[in-house]
Amino acid sequence: MVTTNPAQPTHNPTSRTSTWRIGILAVIAVILVGLNLRMGIASASPLFHELQELLGYGTFVASLLPTIPVLCFALAGAATSVIIRRTGLERGIALSLLLLTAGLAVRFVDSTWALLIGTVVGMCGLAVCNVAMPSFIREHHGHRSASMTGAYTTTMSIGATLASAVSVPLAVQVGSPTTALALWAIPASLALLAFIPLSFGGGRTQAATGPHVSPWPLLATSKGLLFTTVFGVQSLLVYTVVSWLPHILISRGLEPAAAGLMLGIVQGVSIPAVMILLWMASKPRLLRPAFVVTASCSVLGFLTLLLLPVELSLISAVLIGLGFGIFPLVMLMLSRSGQTAAETTALSTVAQSVGYLIAALGPFALGLLQGVLGSWTVGLVIVLLFAVVQLVFCYKLGGLRTEAAEHVLVEVDGPSDSGPA
């Protein structure tokens, strides 16, 4: 009689191959989601002037349109914890990508209402992706969170750069700005296709069955407030730039295609910056300098945008692009926070939902100020002040470090907060 030792591990080539395929698919999924995360927004900004001329909407709609994505990120993002708890992580992200694809496709119709509704639907999909992706990276790439966060944010910058640079030429080629906007549904559908096998295959994370982690009590902790403030202010600055930089430069005499290219440069410069900043963030002593460097570049970028002539706008574009590096640093810290994926999702939910409510003030207020005053100057001075505030709070956030063994964020300069992280 042949006996087997139950303690002896058995080799299952099929299971090992399946795990390997799921791992590769999870990497592809991160890259494709990152690529789409800002395409739908960055592609619209250079076309706002043409869209207003084509559809004939007024100042209020013109100010509301770039604000919709940020409001959706706040309101729909707040529901992400509930969605993920009921559907599971991968199915929740797949559902969000379906909304993104459908919303972008609706913008094909030459109608103000179609433009607004499509933007709302698509941006609600992006909102869930924004909040859920740190948890996805933690679940599938926990041992290489820095490199995958780098890949995620780098492809996000590549997608935004591509969309900004080719948006105007694409609209000219197809003969319609609304048709050009709808074409960005194609790469969104590719990301959806990548998540379908993960949603129904062996790599699927089951819907949560453990204790629910409510995000809102985190606002009563210093860490929750710090993450929310930094995320909110950096988002305000980023979406103000993405929404209005081409319009600002066009009003100063730059050609629309060149203005779109400047926005593309802003996004493109952030790609090498992200790599350097994430390398710095992987060294505990360099986390704070990484935050300070990128936040300082943001201050200088808005200062030069305010003071330099439009012929030197390249300087402002480069500096502002370097300032975009705050986002990946915050995302990396979020992906490393919490003792479970549910805690990570909770902190990500509160930071992003409340943070994006703060951010919505930026593009909407700047658009209204320009409409009322006929000048960008006052609005840019206020934006510059927010950049200074961002620098101060980034210095404080850089004083947190991650206890890798427990995924708990503690303060370097002061006592640890007893609240949940």
Side-chain angles (χ1 to χ4, degrees):
M1 179 181 296
V2 179
T3 59
T4 60
N5 183 358
Q8 183 179 355
T10 59
H11 299 284
N12 189 336
T14 302
S15 177
R16 184 173 300 177
T17 301
S18 177
T19 302
W20 180 82
R21 287 177 178 174
I22 290 169
I24 294 296
L25 191 58
V27 171
I28 295 173
V30 168
I31 293 173
L32 288 176
V33 170
L35 194 65
N36 281 277
L37 208 58
R38 295 295 179 265
M39 272 185 170
I41 302 171
S43 61
S45 177
L47 296 174
F48 280 156
H49 181 70
E50 287 78 3
L51 288 168
Q52 189 169 12
E53 288 188 344
L54 173 68
L55 302 177
Y57 52 76
T59 301
F60 178 78
V61 173
S63 300
L64 179 63
L65 191 59
T67 310
I68 288 175
V70 192
L71 288 174
C72 289
F73 290 170
L75 301 177
T80 301
S81 290
V82 176
I83 294 172
I84 297 303
R85 182 173 173 80
R86 296 194 176 191
T87 65
L89 188 58
E90 291 79 12
R91 285 184 179 176
I93 296 176
L95 174 62
S96 72
L97 291 171
L98 178 61
L99 290 175
L100 173 62
T101 303
L104 294 180
V106 165
R107 300 200 291 187
F108 174 81
V109 181
D110 288 343
S111 162
T112 300
W113 284 109
L115 178 63
L116 293 173
I117 292 172
T119 301
V120 169
V121 173
M123 296 309 106
C124 284
L126 278 186
V128 177
C129 282
N130 274 333
V131 177
M133 284 308 292
S135 296
F136 181 84
I137 291 173
R138 177 194 174 102
E139 285 291 309
H140 290 269
H141 309 288
H143 58 292
R144 53 178 183 269
S145 60
S147 60
M148 290 311 302
T149 299
Y152 171 64
T153 54
T154 298
T155 53
M156 182 183 71
S157 298
I158 291 173
T161 301
L162 177 65
S164 302
V166 308
S167 185
V168 173
L170 182 61
V172 172
Q173 186 68 28
V174 300
S176 168
T178 54
T179 301
L181 289 182
L183 289 176
W184 297 104
I186 297 174
S189 66
L190 296 178
L192 172 59
L193 289 175
F195 259 93
I196 290 175
L198 289 172
S199 300
F200 296 96
R204 181 165 59 92
T205 302
Q206 298 295 325
T209 57
H212 175 58
V213 180
S214 175
W216 311 117
L218 291 169
L219 284 175
T221 71
S222 62
K223 295 184 189 69
L225 283 173
L226 191 54
F227 268 104
T228 301
T229 301
V230 173
F231 195 95
V233 176
Q234 69 87 25
S235 296
L236 182 149
L237 297 176
V238 166
Y239 286 99
T240 297
V241 170
V242 171
S243 300
W244 293 117
L245 180 62
H247 207 309
I248 292 171
L249 298 178
I250 291 170
S251 69
R252 293 179 175 179
L254 211 59
E255 292 294 323
L261 181 60
M262 284 298 121
L263 181 58
I265 290 173
V266 169
Q267 308 280 4
V269 165
S270 66
I271 296 173
V274 164
M275 297 178 183
I276 296 172
L277 290 168
L278 288 176
W279 173 83
M280 294 176 66
S282 67
K283 316 293 182 182
R285 293 184 179 180
L286 294 181
L287 178 60
R288 173 171 279 168
F291 271 109
V292 171
V293 166
T294 183
S296 298
C297 287
S298 186
V299 173
L300 292 175
F302 288 110
L303 183 63
T304 55
L305 180 63
L306 183 64
L307 299 178
L308 294 182
V310 71
E311 293 79 10
L312 299 177
S313 57
L314 179 62
I315 297 174
S316 303
V318 170
L319 288 169
I320 292 173
L322 293 174
F324 276 19
I326 294 171
F327 175 79
L329 293 178
V330 176
M331 294 300 285
L332 176 61
M333 295 185 72
L334 283 174
S335 69
R336 291 177 170 178
S337 66
Q339 296 181 358
T340 65
E343 291 182 12
T344 300
T345 302
L347 182 58
S348 183
T349 297
V350 72
Q352 295 197 46
S353 58
V354 179
Y356 280 126
L357 279 178
I358 298 171
L361 296 173
F364 186 72
L366 186 61
L368 283 184
L369 281 173
Q370 195 278 334
V372 172
L373 302 177
S375 169
W376 298 100
T377 303
V378 174
L380 287 176
V381 170
I382 296 174
V383 169
L384 176 61
L385 293 177
F386 271 101
V388 174
V389 171
Q390 176 184 248
L391 175 59
V392 174
F393 280 95
C394 279
Y395 179 84
K396 180 65 175 175
L397 185 60
L400 299 181
R401 70 173 185 270
T402 305
E403 296 292 355
E406 298 180 356
H407 293 288
V408 176
L409 289 171
V410 298
E411 295 185 43
V412 172
D413 300 331
S416 176
D417 194 347
S418 60

